[in-house]
Amino acid sequence: MIDRPLTLMAVHAHPDDEATGTGGVLARYAAEGIRTVLVTCTDGGCGDGPGGVKPGDPGHDPAAVALMRRQELEGSCEVLKVSDLEMLDYADSGMMGWPSNDAPGSFWQTPVQEGAARLAELMRHYRPDVVVTYDENGFYGHPDHIQAHRITMAALEMTALTPKVYWTTMPRSMMQRFGEIMREFHEDMPEPDPAEAAAMAEIGLPDDEITTWVDTTAFSGQKFDSLAAHASQGENIFFLKMGKQRFGELMGVETFVRVLDPTGAAAPEDDLFAGLR
């Protein structure tokens, strides 16, 4: 037990990632009086531009996209009642294999120790009791997600802090359910080729390997609204197509794997702060 306000720090790669994987816990714990700190590592400049113009297409301006996405991120944080937003502002690296992976100044090209040192300073300032980020594969192999994982784990080693540490994940049963829902909304969606299907099958974890299931049902409306705040990326945010009611029915639990825990709390658990209060 501690005698200061509890703090959650979520380290994400891009504007809108905070909503997808942790919007529920950010809203829930803010409502419980816990300080919520969001660290967003990149500027999101490889996202869609106005009118849906794609990266690399004529008229796509990464700087203008980054500014627009910053404003959307601030709107999302207002919806989720995030206490503190910190942006590292590295250049978005784009999807794995894009030329932007190799651009000077991209997050993917940033030395891990450099990014970790900046994040460690934020950790020393906020002294989080719980830290959330991605797993080693960035959940689905995005270079910026992988890099966010790397700098988070390296930053923790640079500090004397001992928070509970979690990686976002998804139960395989839910991944299968999402596949069924996507086909429901896109009846003409072709079946993935065997290699793609095998890769998709490796995303997430078997249900019995998930340590932490947090009920965020009461905050699913805020989570939906935080996703909707990223309007410029709406074409890429499948969940918005469900509508708020269906979204709430399906997205009422957020799941994590606990990788560091100084409290010795029993697992499985239903609270990121189990053992701390």
Side-chain angles (χ1 to χ4, degrees):
M1 301 304 229
I2 56 176
D3 59 359
R4 58 181 174 79
L6 290 166
T7 299
L8 165 65
M9 175 180 281
V11 183
H12 282 291
H14 312 97
D16 78 23
D17 290 332
E18 81 289 341
T20 307
T22 57
V25 292
L26 287 168
R28 170 179 162 166
Y29 290 123
E32 293 179 6
I34 288 170
R35 179 169 62 173
T36 53
V37 180
L38 171 63
V39 180
T40 301
C41 296
T42 80
D43 60 11
C46 286
D48 289 356
V53 62
K54 303 297 181 183
D57 286 351
H60 187 276
D61 180 351
V65 171
L67 177 60
M68 174 178 63
R69 297 195 71 185
R70 166 89 188 218
Q71 294 167 344
E72 291 176 340
L73 177 61
E74 290 171 350
S76 171
C77 286
E78 287 182 19
V79 169
L80 297 174
K81 309 300 182 187
V82 169
S83 307
D84 299 272
L85 170 63
E86 298 283 355
M87 296 195 71
L88 300 185
D89 271 331
Y90 290 108
D92 189 340
S93 309
M95 298 296 285
M96 190 67 81
W98 286 13
S100 48
N101 294 174
D102 301 320
S106 72
F107 191 37
W108 188 236
Q109 290 299 315
T110 299
V112 169
Q113 294 301 302
E114 176 189 320
R118 294 182 61 195
L119 182 57
E121 282 302 305
L122 293 176
M123 289 180 173
R124 293 186 189 104
H125 174 73
Y126 288 107
R127 303 186 66 80
D129 304 287
V130 172
V131 173
V132 176
T133 192
Y134 315 98
D135 63 19
E136 303 101 318
N137 191 47
F139 186 59
Y140 68 97
H142 193 297
D144 288 331
H145 291 217
I146 294 170
Q147 189 76 329
H149 163 85
R150 290 173 177 171
I151 73 162
T152 301
M153 302 312 291
L156 287 163
E157 291 184 2
M158 291 178 178
T159 72
L161 303 173
T162 56
K164 297 180 77 175
V165 179
Y166 294 87
W167 297 341
T168 57
T169 191
M170 188 76 71
R172 296 258 169 88
S173 61
M174 183 58 76
M175 291 297 297
Q176 182 178 353
R177 179 71 179 124
F178 282 149
E180 295 167 356
I181 294 166
M182 288 183 73
R183 284 188 286 275
E184 175 187 329
F185 280 86
H186 303 280
E187 294 179 358
D188 57 349
M189 188 172 72
E191 289 294 324
D193 64 54
E196 184 179 337
M200 287 294 293
E202 293 301 312
I203 295 177
L205 287 173
D207 292 34
D208 61 0
E209 292 183 20
I210 292 175
T211 63
T212 311
W213 307 68
V214 183
D215 184 356
T216 60
T217 305
F219 305 94
S220 59
Q222 279 175 262
K223 181 171 179 171
F224 185 93
D225 289 343
S226 72
L227 278 168
H230 297 281
S232 68
Q233 309 307 306
E235 181 183 329
N236 302 317
I237 303 176
F238 162 73
F239 300 112
L240 293 176
K241 297 177 174 64
M242 296 181 183
K244 186 175 284 190
Q245 181 174 343
R246 185 79 180 279
F247 179 87
E249 294 168 356
L250 293 167
M251 303 293 288
V253 176
E254 291 182 349
T255 51
F256 307 86
V257 59
R258 191 177 72 195
V259 292
L260 292 173
D261 178 24
T263 73
E269 61 187 0
D270 59 7
D271 179 10
L272 298 179
F273 289 86
L276 292 168
R277 56 180 179 173

